[in-house]
Amino acid sequence: QVQLVESGGGLVQAGDSLRLSCVASGRSFSGYAMGWFRQAPGKEREFVAAISLTGGSTNSADSVKGRFTISRDNAKNTAYLQMNSLKPEDTAVYYCAAQRAYYSTTYYTTSGSYTHWGQGTQVTVSS
């Protein structure tokens, strides 16, 4: 079992940057593929970015490519989402997720693939 706690959200202006953190406690963090999702009011939860066990493989949604970067520090049991050039349409609650994986290159891009979720952190981007 792993518990996830996100932090780093806030209210920013368009063009600003934020870095979200997701700290994991419990079982071995390095054995979990990690992902970030977001959910805006009235919309379904959508995939943002994912990263494999060692960080060697990543994927991100087209809407954030070139602006958001996912990374992880297994020594600190933490996954990050660096968000640059934020836009009002990035406003949402951001969730991190973890799923046990057994191959170093595995990552997951669908919410149904993840078992463990954080409580979410609000990101609001004003125009």
Side-chain angles (χ1 to χ4, degrees), residues 6 65 72:
E6 303 97 333
K65 270 187 170 67
R72 65 189 296 162

Side-chain angles (χ1 to χ4, degrees), residues 18-30:
L18 278 175
R19 188 177 79 159
L20 305 183
S21 298
C22 173
V23 179
S25 59
R27 302 295 293 271
S28 176
F29 177 72
S30 61

Side-chain angles (χ1 to χ4, degrees), residues 19-106:
R19 188 177 79 159
L20 305 183
S21 298
C22 173
V23 179
S25 59
R27 302 295 293 271
S28 176
F29 177 72
S30 61
Y32 288 82
M34 301 297 295
W36 286 96
F37 291 77
R38 66 186 182 185
Q39 188 166 18
K43 295 188 177 181
E44 293 187 353
R45 189 170 298 188
E46 65 173 358
F47 168 73
V48 176
I51 191 166
S52 61
L53 301 184
T54 61
S57 298
T58 63
N59 196 356
S60 59
D62 288 344
S63 59
V64 305
K65 270 187 170 67
R67 300 189 298 123
F68 291 11
T69 302
I70 188 171
S71 62
R72 65 189 296 162
D73 185 339
N74 286 346
K76 295 183 177 180
N77 286 3
T78 303
Y80 303 98
L81 184 68
Q82 178 67 44
M83 306 186 295
N84 299 329
S85 302
L86 282 160
K87 304 175 181 180
E89 50 264 43
D90 295 319
T91 295
V93 177
Y94 283 72
Y95 299 90
C96 71
Q99 178 59 37
R100 198 74 172 89
Y102 300 94
Y103 297 98
S104 62
T105 56
T106 299

